[in-house]
Amino acid sequence: MSSDQLQRLKPGQSPHEPEKATLEGKNKFLGFWFFLGGETVLFASLFGTYLALNGPESNTSGPGPAELFGLELVFIMTVILLTSSLTSVYAIYHMKNLDFGKMQLWLGITVALGLTFLGLEIYEFYEYVMHEDHTFTSDAFGSAFYALVGFHGGHVLFGLLWIVTLMVRNSKRGLNLYNAPKFYIASLYWHFIDVVWVFIFTVVYLMGKLGG
Amino acid sequence: MAKNTNSTSYEFYKQKNKEEMKYQLITFALMIIFTLVSFGMVIAEYNPMFTIPVIILLACVQVGFQLYYFMHMSHKGHGLPALFLYSGVFVALLTVLAMVTIVWW
Amino acid sequence: MSTATAQKKGFGATLWDYLTTVDHKKIAILYLVAGGIFFLAGGLEAMLIRIQLAVPDNDFVSAGLYNQLITMHGTTMIFLAAMPLIFALMNIAVPLQIGARDVAFPFLNSLGFWLFFFGGVLLNVSWFTGGAPDAGWTAYAPLSTTSPGHGVDYYVMGLQISGAGTLIGGINFLVTIVNMRAPGMTYMRMPLFTWTAFVTSVLILFAFPALTVGLFLMMFDRMFGANFFDPQMGGNHVIWEHLFWIFGHPEVYILVLPIFGLFSDIISTFSKKRLFGYSAMVFAVVLIGFLGFMVWAHHMFTTGLGPVANSIFAIATMAIAVPTGIKIFNWIFTMWGGSIRMTTPMLWTVAFIPSFTLGGFGGVMLAAAAADYQYHDTYFVVAHFHYVIVGGVVFGVFAGLHYWWPKFFGTMLSEKLGKLAFWPFFIGFHLTFFIQHFLGLMGMPRRYWKFLPNQDLDLGNLVSTIGAFLMAIGAVIFLINVIVTSVKGEKVSGDPWDGRTLEWSIPSPPPFYNFTQTPLVRGLDPLWIEKRQGNGKMTPAEPLGDIHMPNNSFIPFVMSLGLFIAGFGFIYQVDDKNWLIVGIAGMLITLGSMFVRSVKDDLGYHIHKEDLEKGAGSE
């Protein structure tokens, strides 16, 4: 069981779901979904905190949500992250066809998009801190905003490091039953980041713009 | 012999994956449209009492697409992942509900 | 891996073995030892509290030290004693009960332990670096955010690290129970302990993230200048209360549910009867788990949530009495008409039923929101939660240790000493806490450093302190029992209690691969079925073959050590920003070990069929 897991898989071979072909793979798959269930509560706690602290009472210094947020940047970031979610679907599509080269290519695109997103987020934070007097310590609204959006950004960063590690580690030896589950759950993680962002752009930015 | 069945099943699944990929693209297009609608409604400055429920609904549908198509939750063998995710959503909703209603000034 | 080398190991090799082990039975022993030491520390703190309160107007400890003692007693007992002791029982029993060779994630199992351990050590280091946390185990803001010194910082970092370990452990048990069951072990044939371990793990999965966020916010407020809980800057400290109790209430079910399952197994074994109402018991456990998430605000009735919220949470809280009642009656019905053997585990179990029920009554009284205004923050509350936690969890841990000691160490704790430990502990427990209900009703507030003479509180407090000493005597006799048993070292058979479930079908202690051949399960209480209908041995579900086992690893230790170091860095960067270097260095150690873990193939190894036939590993 063990060392044949490292045998390279090539197009034309079975199994068609390499991520769940071994017991280890099944365990990873299930355990990671459970973890995402827990992450849901984690982000809910942050969203709840933000919603409790985004009112005018919490905004004791600096601009409030409606003046602060610009929708152009957020829209671009949203499209980039949604697209990166699609490209990682393509990567898993090629993984299921056991086509390692194409999988790496699409993962590479995903990473590039993720980096762009992160870069834009850092730019956004930089603008807020430097020009808008909206910092982590300025008031409770600032704390809650950076905690929620920053936690998401931290997840993006971790996801990027994770995917790049997997890509580099396996670049020479291709796809096998040992690393297929790892690629699969990394992509699940990436989608989950996108799920959280959908709520962030809706609840934080759009509703913030509406003043609600 | 064994190799032969392997490659037929490979071709079969490859075809199936391809069809699924079409749905993924449609899903993606819908997600982008939803996003555009959400942003558009906010920019158009409709009544917030109307806009807020709609954009939250759109977000939920969009997240459903992510989960069921992009994360393959519609495939079989995802019963427990769905159960645990929805349990998480249940606790999440309670948490958010408490934070917006019974934290006060 | 052969028998000969295993027996000739020196101290260094044994230590290294335990530092790197991924075997669930050794991790169970690690949890037991670490949890036991923290239990003694927490117990010592409790004794100091009771000595201070033995007589009115006492000056045994200073007011500041008293605050540290009550805080550390609560925190230690919940997070560093009860949780790990329950994890010890879950680790030893769950894989054996479902017929698995190991848990789903042996590496994560080890990581979970070391995170808990280093978190606990970090928390206790605070005693030696200028004062322990002193804002109560609930660490309510703004008391906690304004508490001077670094005590509360240690609380935040220590609990954050050990909480991560608990979450990892919970996920591990979930996947183990879902994916690793032996053939024929359907969900509705699982022993009740396994069922409760499953539901408890679900609660861990959904409750701990709220604590994680709460602790992060507290950390940001105290160490990085954020304003979540500072009303002057627009913050709101009710957020902390919610986050803490969204975690904190499920936490008490996390503690007590496995104990419910354990008692169910013990009662069924020592009554020689199938558990009465098995499916109702499973249903009740799941229902308690579900309702457990909807009652947290009953800790906050006097916070001022308003009558609507208070009523909803009051009713939800009272509803929990229904499934709990189902369980109490089913335990009694299981014993009814059974041929009962009053062994030590059974003694603790029988004592548990009325004790815990009393605690439950107090709970229903507290659930009445209007009446709670009277009880809130008095010794009535203290009496209530000690009745359920000591009368439930501590009794359960004692019962479980006696019951599964053969699976831990291959020896039996002395029955005579076991019963001798039981009586002073049991009597002392009721002496200590029963009277506290009345102290509370008479108006004695909890967490107060001293009380004044001639307010009718003198006698009650003295009785309570005497009871505490009796409990300490019981605990010491238990320790003597442990020492005597391990010095004697008499090995016992695989099935000393005439058990009903799979863990009793293999030797004590089990070989490191547990089952030479995976057993075939034919129904509830599988071993009992074979004893009644077969030859008393489990039928194998597979031919004798190679067994795949995971490799040991030192990485979990290093990963946790990194966070431990980082903890100090974050705590002391408040005074001197240079400490951030230590924080970053610690994080890099952790991230680096994660990287190594990710890139290094860890395929495990095989025990070969031929070696199994020769009896390798079965010491």
Side-chain angles (χ1 to χ4, degrees), chain C residues 27-60:
Chain C
I27 291 173
I29 293 175
L30 287 172
Y31 269 120
L32 175 62
V33 172
I37 291 170
F38 285 126
F39 179 77
L40 291 180
L44 189 68
E45 284 146 18
M47 295 314 293
L48 296 175
I49 294 171
R50 276 323 317 170
I51 294 172
Q52 164 66 20
L53 294 177
V55 289
D57 213 9
N58 200 356
D59 277 316
F60 176 70

Side-chain angles (χ1 to χ4, degrees), chain C residues 9-29:
Chain C
K9 262 188 232 164
F11 174 74
T14 313
L15 182 69
W16 179 249
D17 186 33
Y18 273 93
L19 288 179
T20 59
T21 190
V22 293
D23 178 351
H24 70 94
K25 298 173 291 297
K26 286 185 177 149
I27 291 173
I29 293 175

